[in-house]
Each structure stands twice: as C-alpha cells, then as structure tokens.
Amino acid sequence: MKNLKKIMCSAIATLSLAVCAVTPFSDTVTSEKSFSIINTLEAEAAEGRLYNQNDSKWASVKFRGYSGDMKSSGCGIFSFCNAIYALNGKKADAQEVGQWAVNVGAFKPGSGGTYREPFYNKVQNAYGSRLGFKVDGQYWGSVTNSRLINHLRNGGVAVIHVPSHFMAITGYSNGNYHVIESASRLPGDSWQSANKLSSGNTKVDWFVLLSRTSSPAPNPVQPVQNNNSYFARYTGSSGSIVEGLKAIGVDSSMSYRKSIASANNISNYSGTAQQNQTLMNLLKNGQLKKPGSSSGTSVTVNYFPKYTGSSGSIVDALRAVGADTSFSYRQKIAEKNGISNYAGNASQNSSLLSKLKSGNLIKP
C-alpha cells in the first residue's frame, strides 16, 4: 500500500509539472525562435507570395494543446504574412506569428483556425513596429466596397475573408484585384475580377486594411526640360517604340529612329530590343530628345543604385539598394521602365532585376 501511495504521488507530481510547462498566454513576442522555418523557405513562385500553405513542411508545425497543424489550419496566419510581404517586403516568420496568436487566443489550429477579431485587435501592438505596418480597420463588406478599393489605390493591402478561408489582396486596377493565395482556391499570385470574388468559395464578406507606417525616401526632383527639345510624352500601354512614336504623330521609320537614337546618345542603332526599350523609356518619361535639339539642354534620368548581389528576387534586390519593395511601388517602377500591366510575374520581375543589376533601372 505504501508503494502504491508513492507511485500515485509521483504520478501527480509529474502531471503538475507537465501542466506548469504549458506556454502561458502573453502578448510578448520572441524575436528569435529555434524552430523557425522561414530561414529554410524561399519566396514561392511569384514575388508577392512569401508562403505556400501547401508546402509539406507545414504539416509538421503544431502547437501545444491543439491537434491541427499549419498546413491544414494556417490560412489566416499565412494571408497576414503574405500581405505584409507584398506591402513592404518584410518577411514575417509565420511560425512565430502562429505561436504568438496561439498564446493570445487568436489561433486555434484544428479548432476554428484564426479568430480574426482578436488577431487584428492585437497584431499591430505585437508586430507593427518590427514589420512596419498598421491596421486601418476591420469591415464587413464585399470586394466592391469603396473603402477597400480606395485603400488599395493608395498603396495599402488587405486580408480578406471568403467562406472558411483567408487570402490577401495587394492591388487594384480597372475593376480587377491582385490576389495572393496561400492555398489552392486561386492561383498563388493572380489578377481576379470582382465577379470572381463575389460568388462561390471566393466570395468576399469581410476585410481588414493594412498600410505601411514608413515611406520610401523621396526621389531627387528631375529638372524642368525645354518642351521644344523633347517629344511629347507617350502615355499609352504599348511596349513598341514604333507604336509609341506613331501615337504622338512622329515619323517611326527606321531612318528617323536612327536620328532619334543618335540624339539620345545611342550609337550604332540597329533596332535591337534593348535599344528600343531605352528609347521607349525616355518617350514615356517625356525625356526623348528630338534630333537637332539644342545640345545645351541635358536629359537627367534618375536610376536606382546598381545591385551587385546574387539574389534572383527583385524584392530582395530592391531592398538591398534601399528601395521600397511594396507591390504598389513595384508597379510604378515597372511603368517607368516600359512594363505595362505589372502583375509581378516571373518575366516582368526578371526584366526589372536585369535592369537593376546593370544599373539601368529608372526610378519612378
């Protein structure tokens, strides 16, 4: 009997220790965690998506007290991290954010997932300073809500709720929305119509607005130019210098383009893609000098510093040269460099990165 009592006491003591070891609820955020996964994952497929929820690694990420894992229950956490990455290029550690959300009762894997209101009521205080964002409000409404559209137009991003799921919206253009999806209801990085986001399992019924708390350094002011010395600025969407010149009523023949190229310090013009792109960039910026114009008027184009690193990511490269990496600013960079309808796809990002590496990426 004495031995039985000793065994029971030992068992009770062990149970007490186990209960005490449970992570307490706290708003405190640990800056470094030994179990971090972010250092082993690269940005997924498209520049806007930092995390792919379908990656098998997330099935092993679980939290004490819950049976669910981040692969099956983490869309709310991933959508937040993806939205912040698209907003300003900051890489939030999804595993750390998940643990914080569990601690404050805002994330219950396998038992409802992310609880939006407690999450967004507290996340700015916990991470806003480190990740450079603020929460501008949570709202019930559809994707056509004017508050949401105006926020996106002004460079903000949003996390949206659709039936039993969260996604991020990071841009708006002509009635279409740039969506970052961590799971599989839509492509990982795509433009979607209002109709698509208003029905079925992608129908938006709620959104939270996020914006940056810091702005990029202003670009140097470009000099005022003598309008008589420059062609009118081309404002169309074509990437062809021939079409651009035609649109402003200028001779687009090969012989005249040679004269234009010579006036703009392009020697041995033969109509290559690179030469034409340079001419088009100048034309879109209102900086394409006319042949025979006064040599006393100089063209000043502001370029980003040359990127000398090895990363294949335009986001990482822009960050390395001290530039804003948000999706909305990359849209402006793309437009300035002759890329219309920028969606952050691999081809467009490769073109921007190539120019940045050669020191020829023009600042907007």
Side-chain angles (χ1 to χ4, degrees):
M1 180 64 71
K2 290 183 178 180
N3 289 337
L4 178 60
K5 287 182 178 179
K6 288 182 180 180
I7 293 172
M8 290 178 67
C9 290
S10 177
I12 291 171
T14 301
L15 179 59
S16 299
L17 287 173
V19 171
C20 291
V22 174
T23 303
F25 281 12
S26 170
D27 281 333
T28 303
V29 178
T30 304
S31 59
E32 294 183 1
K33 289 183 176 291
S34 61
F35 53 68
S36 172
I37 275 184
I38 191 171
N39 294 325
T40 66
L41 294 179
E42 294 297 329
E44 290 289 336
E47 292 294 344
R49 185 168 75 169
L50 176 62
Y51 290 117
N52 178 358
Q53 184 177 344
N54 295 320
D55 192 303
S56 60
K57 294 181 179 70
W58 296 112
S60 64
V61 180
K62 297 184 178 182
F63 302 92
R64 185 174 299 169
Y66 295 97
S67 60
D69 55 64
M70 288 197 73
K71 186 176 186 296
S72 61
S73 305
C75 64
I77 305 299
F78 292 125
S79 62
F80 165 74
C81 295
N82 285 336
I84 295 301
Y85 184 61
L87 179 68
N88 57 23
K90 298 287 188 178
K91 293 182 178 180
D93 187 326
Q95 189 168 351
E96 179 190 321
V97 175
Q99 182 64 67
W100 166 81
V102 166
N103 291 349
V104 300
F107 181 39
K108 301 178 181 180
S111 302
T114 304
Y115 287 72
R116 70 192 90 165
E117 290 188 3
F119 183 91
Y120 284 104
N121 285 342
K122 298 178 179 180
V123 73
Q124 179 178 322
N125 287 338
Y127 285 99
S129 177
R130 189 201 306 181
L131 299 178
F133 76 92
K134 63 178 180 176
V135 177
D136 292 321
Q138 305 176 56
Y139 305 93
W140 291 94
S142 71
V143 75
T144 58
N145 184 285
S146 60
R147 189 193 301 269
L148 171 61
I149 292 173
N150 289 333
H151 180 77
L152 296 170
R153 281 174 169 166
N154 290 325
V157 300
V159 171
I160 58 172
H161 182 263
V162 298
S164 303
H165 189 55
F166 292 95
M167 297 186 288
I169 291 183
T170 62
Y172 175 84
S173 178
N174 298 322
N176 295 308
Y177 301 79
H178 188 246
V179 180
I180 303 296
E181 160 67 318
S182 65
S184 304
R185 293 198 186 182
L186 292 172
D189 185 333
S190 64
W191 284 91
Q192 300 293 332
S193 68
N195 287 339
K196 181 65 176 177
L197 298 173
S198 300
S199 62
N201 68 355
T202 55
K203 180 180 180 179
V204 177
D205 60 14
W206 173 94
F207 54 88
V208 58
L209 306 179
L210 306 169
S211 60
R212 282 180 290 136
T213 55
S214 58
S215 300
N219 292 326
V221 177
Q222 297 190 4
V224 177
Q225 300 168 349
N226 178 357
N227 290 334
N228 293 327
S229 299
Y230 297 86
F231 291 110
R233 183 177 180 179
Y234 172 61
T235 59
S237 59
S238 175
S240 165
I241 186 61
V242 171
E243 296 301 321
L245 290 172
K246 286 181 179 179
I248 62 171
V250 174
D251 178 9
S252 61
S253 66
M254 179 66 173
S255 59
Y256 192 59
R257 278 184 282 130
K258 284 184 177 180
S259 299
I260 297 173
S262 178
N264 289 273
N265 300 317
I266 298 175
S267 59
N268 301 316
Y269 177 78
S270 60
T272 66
Q274 183 175 357
Q275 291 171 332
N276 287 334
Q277 185 67 66
T278 300
L279 293 178
M280 178 57 91
N281 291 342
L282 292 172
L283 184 61
K284 285 192 170 187
N285 295 334
Q287 296 171 329
L288 186 64
K289 184 183 291 188
K290 297 177 181 178
S293 59
S294 171
S295 59
T297 305
S298 60
V299 177
T300 301
V301 181
N302 292 294
Y303 295 93
F304 289 101
K306 185 176 181 179
Y307 173 62
T308 58
S310 59
S311 175
S313 164
I314 186 62
V315 171
D316 289 342
L318 285 171
R319 188 184 304 112
V321 300
D324 177 11
T325 62
S326 67
F327 181 79
S328 59
Y329 190 61
R330 281 183 280 135
Q331 282 183 310
K332 295 177 182 178
I333 297 173
E335 182 180 358
K336 195 72 170 180
N337 288 270
I339 299 175
S340 58
N341 300 318
Y342 177 77
N345 61 46
S347 176
Q348 292 169 330
N349 288 330
S350 178
S351 177
L352 293 179
L353 183 59
S354 177
K355 290 178 181 294
L356 188 59
K357 285 186 173 182
S358 65
N360 293 316
L361 188 64
I362 301 173
K363 289 184 177 182

